[in-house]
Amino acid sequence: MNARLSEPWSIKWRIPHWRRLLPYIGGIAALLLFAGALVVLHSHAQAYRPSEVRRALRALQAWQPFAALGLATASYLLLTLYDVLALRHVGWTLPYRRVALASFTGYAFSHALGFGSLIGPSVRYRIYAPMGLSAGEVAEASAFVMVTFLTGLIAVFPLVALLDPSSLGMLGISRPAGIGIGTFALLLIAGYVGFGWWMDRPIRLFGYPLHLPRPRTAGAQIALSVADLSLVAAVLYACLPHASAVGYPHVLAVYVLAFVAGLISHVPGGLGVFDAVVLVGLSVRLSADQILAGLLAFRLVYQLVPLVCAGALFGAVEALSAHRRFGQAAENISIWVGAVRPTVLAGCTFAGGIVLLFSNAMPVSEARLRLVETVLPLSMVETSHLMGSIDGVLLLLLAYGLQQQVRWAWALSAVLLSAGAMSLMLKGFAWEEAMALVLLLLALLPARRTFHLWSPPPSQQYASGWLVANAVVLTTAFWLGLFSYKHLGDAEWGRFALYDNTARFLRASIAVAIVALAVAAYRLLSAVRHRRTAVPC
């Protein structure tokens, strides 16, 4: 009996050591690409200061933020039609409100934190399977959505070449190369439409039959994806100060290249990689401070705001389900959205950690510090800044426990969000970031019933994707501090003064590094201990 049980483990332990590293190659490659992108960002932005980026943000005209929000709303509405079209392709017609809710929450999470190729199919399966769709139909619908994205990426290059051929030249693509790329893209699109017209029987992939879309459906895919990409590029265009100096076609070409680079890199949210490509692509006509200001506004409008809205939507559903007047209707919705609730709330918690770390990496303005000086002692300001940074890294680490529906992770995340909002107010009256944390907290609190486990399943290991995401956010926060404090080498980390933001940043960075390394060491030792105890004697 023991011999039989130990046989699989003996086979496992005979696997060569280099093969055990294969699951981590993707994460290592993503981190290397991210590091290269940070080098590019630093080389282009080292001559500028955060005050210049803030000045560029103030240069935005009054209509631009509202236009960006409206365009982002239209883009997310178009994204819901991806799923509507995919479901009709596999022979299903579901109520639009349900499809729209699943689509919006899935895209809001994947756009903010990445992992779209993993999150999208898993969310669709957990939502659509209880409605009667088989695993094969969900897989086919997910593949249809991915192909829809790809058709838009391919079709947009001939469109850019027609609208503004010079924009490709500014990206280093010569006119003959641009003509060749555009022609090849048109041939691919024509081949995709023609193959669907010629191939009227399904093809089998991994045992599942996949039906190729008919020409009418393929045309709808192309039009939908090109319209969505055009809208998102318009959001970026509306967020750029002095965007008229660049021109919309050029922004569209740069956005598509940056989106593809971020997609290939597998860096969560394309952080760093997307920004580096945009910075290089637009630097011909805009200064780096203006581009950085536009990227900051773009990520706020297109990623953070939808993520907070998705979390608030789930919090509202939970609150309504507890109210008797709306009991039955809200309970039905609550049961339906329960499949994706842990993932969405984990993303909200992760976003809360990002807000804390990025806010504490930026210097507090002197005006706010003078206001703090009148009501708070220096020790309170120093403690709040340090504890806020520790709260931020802990929220990043707790997000995985929320995804696994662990009760203590939910309780601790709620406490940390509350403490983080308070620390932001005490360290410099950062009410904007504190309000974002309060909204995330209000989304998390009503979902207590979702988190019913007191420990994660024993078979679960800390996913490599979450490790990469944590590493990317922590590295970006540290780089943001390096960008904010140009004379970091002259600072004394042990000096305590109200207007010495640099020393506070150094102390917080040391504390964050200690916490992150301690948790990493604990998880490594736990994994080794679990592996040893799992091997039968």
Side-chain angles (χ1 to χ4, degrees):
M1 184 70 177
N2 289 338
R4 290 180 182 177
L5 289 174
S6 61
E7 183 178 353
W9 289 98
S10 62
I11 293 174
K12 178 180 179 180
W13 284 100
R14 286 200 296 268
I15 296 176
H17 290 284
W18 64 270
R19 289 191 178 180
R20 297 178 190 170
L21 298 177
L22 289 179
Y24 303 99
I25 290 178
I28 295 172
L31 289 176
L32 290 176
L33 285 171
F34 170 70
L38 275 190
V39 172
V40 173
L41 282 172
H42 190 71
S43 63
H44 280 75
Q46 62 180 349
Y48 298 91
R49 294 179 177 273
S51 59
E52 295 171 316
V53 176
R54 289 195 294 268
R55 191 180 306 116
L57 278 174
R58 288 193 292 269
L60 289 172
Q61 300 182 29
W63 61 267
Q64 287 184 266
F66 297 102
L69 286 170
L71 291 167
T73 303
S75 173
Y76 276 93
L77 286 174
L78 274 184
L79 286 174
T80 64
L81 300 182
Y82 279 52
D83 281 57
V84 172
L85 193 62
L87 289 172
R88 289 184 179 178
H89 173 68
V90 299
W92 283 83
T93 302
L94 298 177
Y96 173 74
R97 63 183 183 278
R98 296 188 174 185
V99 177
L101 184 57
S103 174
F104 170 69
T105 51
Y107 288 124
F109 182 78
S110 60
H111 283 167
L113 303 177
F115 316 118
S117 60
L118 297 177
I119 294 171
S122 61
V123 168
R124 289 185 185 91
Y125 179 78
R126 298 178 70 177
I127 289 295
Y128 298 143
M131 298 182 184
L133 274 74
S134 65
E137 290 172 331
V138 174
E140 186 173 358
S142 299
F144 184 92
V145 170
M146 293 179 187
V147 171
T148 303
F149 273 115
L150 293 177
T151 57
L153 293 174
I154 295 171
V156 81
F157 276 102
L159 181 64
V160 171
L162 287 174
L163 291 175
D164 187 11
S166 62
S167 62
L168 297 179
M170 286 185 288
L171 295 176
I173 303 174
S174 63
R175 181 176 292 273
I179 294 174
I181 293 173
T183 304
F184 181 66
L186 288 175
L187 290 175
L188 285 177
I189 292 297
Y192 175 69
V193 176
F195 193 58
W197 171 79
W198 174 72
M199 193 76 172
D200 57 353
R201 64 179 184 273
I203 59 176
R204 301 193 71 84
L205 184 65
F206 302 111
Y208 291 108
L210 297 178
H211 299 79
L212 293 175
R214 305 302 294 171
R216 184 176 178 180
T217 303
Q221 282 182 281
I222 297 167
L224 186 60
S225 185
V226 169
D228 174 53
L229 288 171
S230 302
L231 277 174
V232 184
V235 175
L236 177 59
Y237 181 80
C239 291
L240 289 170
H242 310 294
S244 57
V246 184
Y248 172 73
H250 184 49
V251 174
L252 176 60
V254 170
Y255 170 76
V256 172
L257 288 178
F259 180 80
V260 172
L263 199 64
I264 294 174
S265 69
H266 282 82
V267 173
L271 193 63
V273 178
F274 175 88
D275 309 274
V277 175
V278 171
L279 185 60
V280 173
L282 298 181
S283 60
V284 179
R285 295 184 178 177
L286 288 178
S287 60
D289 60 326
Q290 294 172 338
I291 302 172
L292 290 173
L295 286 169
L296 179 62
F298 173 77
R299 288 196 175 275
L300 176 67
V301 169
Y302 196 73
Q303 295 180 347
L304 183 59
V305 170
L307 182 62
V308 172
C309 290
L313 180 62
F314 276 81
V317 167
E318 285 292 333
L320 286 176
S321 64
H323 203 288
R324 293 184 178 180
R325 287 187 301 172
F326 303 96
Q328 188 59 45
E331 188 68 28
N332 292 335
I333 300 176
S334 179
I335 292 172
W336 180 75
V337 302
V340 296
R341 188 185 297 115
T343 301
V344 172
L345 294 178
C348 292
T349 302
F350 196 87
I354 294 176
V355 169
L356 277 168
L357 289 171
F358 284 16
S359 177
N360 288 334
M362 296 287 290
V364 182
S365 65
E366 291 189 5
R368 296 196 180 192
L369 285 177
R370 284 194 295 270
L371 182 60
V372 168
E373 189 176 17
T374 60
V375 294
L376 294 175
L378 175 62
S379 58
M380 182 71 71
V381 177
E382 295 284 356
T383 304
S384 300
H385 190 282
L386 182 65
M387 297 308 298
S389 298
I390 296 175
D391 278 4
V393 68
L394 289 177
L395 285 172
L396 297 184
L397 297 170
L398 285 171
Y400 183 74
L402 287 174
Q403 191 187 37
Q404 299 300 315
Q405 303 180 39
V406 179
R407 173 65 62 83
W408 63 263
W410 168 84
L412 189 54
S413 297
V415 172
L416 290 177
L417 285 172
S418 303
M422 186 177 298
S423 71
L424 288 171
M425 293 298 295
L426 295 177
K427 66 114 180 180
F429 293 123
W431 63 268
E432 302 94 335
E433 296 94 328
M435 183 62 68
L437 292 188
V438 170
L439 290 175
L440 295 174
L441 175 64
L442 293 177
L444 186 66
L445 285 178
R448 182 179 63 86
R449 294 176 299 173
T450 302
F451 305 96
H452 56 276
L453 300 176
W454 284 103
S455 61
S459 60
Q460 295 289 333
Q461 297 180 356
Y462 198 75
S464 59
W466 284 102
L467 289 174
V468 172
N470 289 335
V472 166
V473 171
L474 292 175
T475 308
T476 304
F478 185 69
W479 175 83
L480 188 60
L482 294 179
F483 174 73
S484 302
Y485 309 105
K486 300 295 182 180
H487 306 291
L488 196 59
D490 301 331
E492 297 179 8
W493 70 272
R495 183 171 56 202
F496 295 87
L498 182 64
Y499 295 93
D500 195 348
N501 290 304
T502 308
R504 273 194 290 274
F505 165 71
L506 285 175
R507 287 191 290 273
S509 298
I510 294 172
V512 166
I514 292 173
V515 172
L517 290 174
V519 173
Y522 171 77
R523 289 195 175 276
L524 180 62
L525 292 175
S526 299
V528 172
R529 186 164 55 248
H530 174 72
R531 180 173 295 180
R532 287 177 177 176
T533 56
V535 178
C537 300

